[in-house]
Amino acid sequence: GVQTCALPISLELAVDQQWPQLTLLPGQQEEDGQPRAALGFSLPLPLWNRNAKAIAEARAARAAAAEGMRAELERATQELAAADLHCSTARTQRELVEQQLVPLTEQQLAEGRQLAQRGQLDPLLLLDALLRSHAARLQALDAAAATALAEIERNALFWPRSEEHTSELQSP
């Protein structure tokens, strides 16, 4: 955030402070009972350590911030990869249920109805086919919902997370 943006500036400032800094000091003196404007200056000379401690601290803070950003990027990349895998898995499961399971149960139900039309009505067989068809359709709905939730979770990784945004969504 703001602290990370200030790190390059603090390093530049620390490097600049290793050189002499001329400071002008305006003032007022009294000479022969008369007030007169005066101008003084200060020129501290960094002869020994040339501000090495501040420069080293600024570089260390900059390196720590860079590592923090790399770690955050790695975490975000891992979250995105996991969300992509979850979406892919949910999508595959949904396709299997919709393209294989539901048609098989519908076929079983149709065959039970054909047997009933031919006069070979077996109510328990027809009831079993209806229950399986209903369960397969419920499973297809659950798979569609799981796919949608996985997509929402993945897309949420791209949206900013803020209290203000969340409260706006929850308020009617």
Side-chain angles (χ1 to χ4, degrees):
V2 174
Q3 191 177 24
T4 305
C5 293
L7 290 175
I9 296 170
S10 65
L11 179 60
E12 286 179 27
L13 181 61
V15 169
D16 282 347
Q17 287 177 348
Q18 73 180 343
W19 304 105
Q21 303 290 320
L22 178 63
T23 307
L24 296 176
L25 306 166
Q28 181 177 359
Q29 288 183 340
E30 199 170 298
E31 189 176 313
D32 296 331
Q34 301 257 342
R36 296 187 186 242
L39 186 63
F41 68 92
S42 170
L43 186 65
L45 299 172
L47 298 176
W48 286 274
N49 70 359
R50 298 178 54 92
N51 207 25
K53 180 183 176 191
I55 292 171
E57 287 174 351
R59 283 188 177 143
R62 187 177 184 182
E67 283 303 314
M69 289 178 71
R70 279 190 210 97
E72 184 64 24
L73 178 63
E74 182 67 26
R75 184 198 58 77
T77 302
Q78 292 296 325
E79 280 184 6
L80 184 58
D84 280 341
L85 180 63
H86 188 234
C87 284
S88 176
T89 304
R91 201 175 302 117
T92 301
Q93 185 175 1
R94 178 183 176 187
E95 289 170 359
L96 286 173
V97 168
E98 289 177 349
Q99 294 173 1
Q100 292 181 8
L101 184 63
V102 171
L104 287 174
T105 59
E106 293 297 322
Q107 181 182 357
Q108 183 183 17
L109 186 59
E111 289 173 357
R113 286 183 181 153
Q114 286 176 354
L115 285 174
Q117 288 175 352
R118 292 184 191 149
Q120 299 175 346
L121 179 63
D122 185 357
L124 292 178
L125 182 66
L126 195 55
L127 178 62
D128 183 57
L130 281 169
L131 287 174
R132 289 179 190 268
S133 176
H134 180 71
R137 288 180 184 180
L138 286 177
Q139 193 172 354
L141 287 174
D142 287 343
T147 302
L149 288 175
E151 293 283 342
I152 289 169
E153 287 175 13
R154 185 185 64 181
N155 291 340
L157 294 174
F158 297 108
W159 292 91
R161 295 178 184 156
S162 68
E163 293 293 325
E164 188 177 298
H165 183 3
T166 306
S167 63
E168 287 175 7
L169 292 175
Q170 293 173 353
S171 300

